[in-house]
Amino acid sequence: LLPGLGRASLAFGLIMLIFLLLRQFGQGLLAMVSRTMISKWFDQKRGLAIGASGLVTALGFNSSPALMNALVNLWDWQTTCLFLAALVGIGMTVLGWLLFRDSPEECGLRMDGSDNSETSQAAAHLPDKRSKRKLSSAGERNFSLKEARGTLAFWLFNLGMGMQALLTTAVTFHLASIGEQSGMERDEIFLLLIPTSIVSAGINLIGGWMSDRFAMKYLLMIQMLSLSSGLVATLFLDVLAGRLAYIIGLGISSGLFGVLSAVVWPRFFGRLHLGGISGLNMATMVFCSAIGPPLFGYCFALTGAYAGAVLFCALLPLIIMAASYKANNPQPRH
């Protein structure tokens, strides 16, 4: 050990560093790259593509705590971590190397919905700056990050997604304790995530279809209302109605979150500066997800219950929902 540094301090520092790397490069950067890639490959069918992609995301995200809990019960947490590290690290590296391509123009292809295939194919052979200009659909304005930050729509959607990250992470981190407060066994509370993931996957498909036909602000309103109701339902998990409200509320909000996080940025602000805009959004979500668990933890430590944190945080999505009526697409109308 380092001089003056105890085992506990060193372990705590390593845990913080590893968790930071996991959040930054795992849930943060990897999620941002995946959503950005779909947005660069699809235009008119972007919502449908996001909905199909979201099936795997929704099922994986919502079912992973229950699956990990089962693996820990089968083995132990150390073996489970090693198994998941090998599965994700090796498996995703190979898949990325085989399948990852930056844009259709790079491959001599065109986005769906493009009118001129020759122009799109030629863009792959142009210098970078000229090629990037070809990334936009006809009549689409490309907002810079600074311009996007100057719109009300950006901040409403950004805060809405941040609120989703904050609350779902907080609930997931404290789910076993929340279940104990309602008299539920550990395995029983984790099983609620399975039907939640099924609802989320279905809503992801429906939301993808809706995003191609309706204004995005209405999806944000539904997401915020569902998030608030699902959060309040955690206080009533001792009754069937509360469990159903939890499953439906968080299932709908998680499904719509997957759609909005991928569709709204290219639709509202164009593809040219999509990385920077998505990056700021991802930084917001990572920050919000980091403060959610300690907020709930402090509330429980002070009061012996989660009700105070739940009721306070349930108001925040409702405020965003009310303001979302002004979250209009800043693209010029034709």
Side-chain angles (χ1 to χ4, degrees):
L1 298 178
L2 297 176
L5 187 63
R7 183 183 297 272
S9 299
L10 180 60
F12 182 73
L14 287 175
I15 290 173
M16 287 187 62
L17 175 61
I18 293 171
F19 188 72
L20 172 64
L21 295 176
L22 283 172
R23 297 295 301 173
Q24 179 64 29
F25 294 102
Q27 187 174 354
L29 187 61
L30 185 59
M32 183 188 73
V33 170
S34 301
R35 293 167 186 154
T36 302
M37 289 302 301
I38 294 176
S39 299
K40 291 174 71 174
W41 275 82
F42 294 91
D43 184 16
Q44 293 186 5
K45 301 297 183 181
R46 184 178 291 142
L48 180 61
I50 292 298
S53 171
L55 279 174
V56 178
T57 303
L59 289 171
F61 182 82
N62 289 289
S63 62
S64 59
L67 294 175
M68 291 179 187
N69 183 60
L71 289 176
V72 170
N73 290 336
L74 178 63
W75 301 324
D76 52 59
W77 69 267
Q78 294 96 332
T79 306
T80 299
C81 287
L82 290 173
F83 170 75
L84 293 175
L87 179 65
V88 175
I90 298 174
M92 290 305 300
T93 298
V94 173
L95 282 177
W97 182 76
L98 290 175
L99 304 178
F100 189 93
R101 300 295 183 271
D102 185 65
S103 67
E105 292 83 2
E106 183 184 82
C107 303
L109 302 174
R110 61 191 177 99
M111 292 182 70
D112 70 306
S114 177
D115 294 328
N116 191 336
S117 60
E118 293 182 0
T119 300
S120 298
Q121 291 175 11
H125 306 288
L126 293 175
D128 288 345
K129 291 184 178 180
R130 293 176 61 196
S131 180
K132 286 182 178 179
R133 296 191 189 106
K134 299 295 184 181
L135 289 175
S136 300
S137 303
E140 180 184 75
R141 177 187 171 188
N142 285 301
F143 287 71
S144 67
L145 175 58
K146 180 179 180 180
E147 290 171 331
R149 291 201 311 261
T151 65
L152 178 62
F154 172 82
W155 289 109
L156 288 174
F157 280 96
N158 189 42
L159 291 174
M161 295 176 201
M163 192 56 55
Q164 178 78 28
L166 188 154
L167 297 181
T168 54
T169 306
V171 170
T172 302
F173 263 67
H174 296 281
L175 192 56
S177 179
I178 290 172
E180 290 178 3
Q181 292 274 296
S182 300
M184 300 178 68
E185 297 293 334
R186 178 184 176 91
D187 292 341
E188 189 180 10
I189 185 66
F190 279 115
L191 285 177
L192 288 179
L193 295 176
I194 303 299
T196 302
S197 67
I198 295 174
V199 173
S200 178
I203 293 299
N204 204 288
L205 276 178
I206 296 172
W209 176 84
M210 293 177 63
S211 70
D212 290 329
R213 293 163 175 80
F214 301 100
M216 302 298 291
K217 64 181 181 182
Y218 299 124
L219 298 186
L220 180 60
M221 291 178 183
I222 297 172
Q223 181 202 2
M224 292 295 98
L225 179 61
S226 302
L227 178 61
S228 180
S229 60
L231 182 63
V232 172
T234 60
L235 302 177
F236 305 97
L237 294 177
D238 55 329
V239 297
L240 178 60
R243 300 180 191 186
L244 290 175
Y246 171 87
I247 292 169
I248 295 173
L250 293 189
I252 291 176
S253 65
S254 295
L256 291 178
F257 168 77
V259 174
L260 291 175
S261 61
V263 174
V264 69
W265 307 128
R267 180 171 298 177
F268 277 33
F269 305 112
R271 291 197 297 155
L272 185 56
H273 303 286
L274 185 56
I277 295 170
S278 299
L280 178 56
N281 171 239
M282 185 55 64
T284 302
M285 290 193 291
V286 169
F287 173 78
C288 289
S289 64
I291 65 175
L295 174 63
F296 274 52
Y298 288 141
C299 179
F300 183 79
L302 292 174
T303 65
Y306 294 99
V310 166
L311 294 177
F312 170 75
C313 291
L315 290 174
L316 303 180
L318 297 180
I319 295 174
I320 296 174
M321 181 189 72
S324 296
Y325 186 74
K326 296 291 186 179
N328 296 309
N329 191 337
Q331 287 289 341
R333 297 181 180 181
H334 301 287

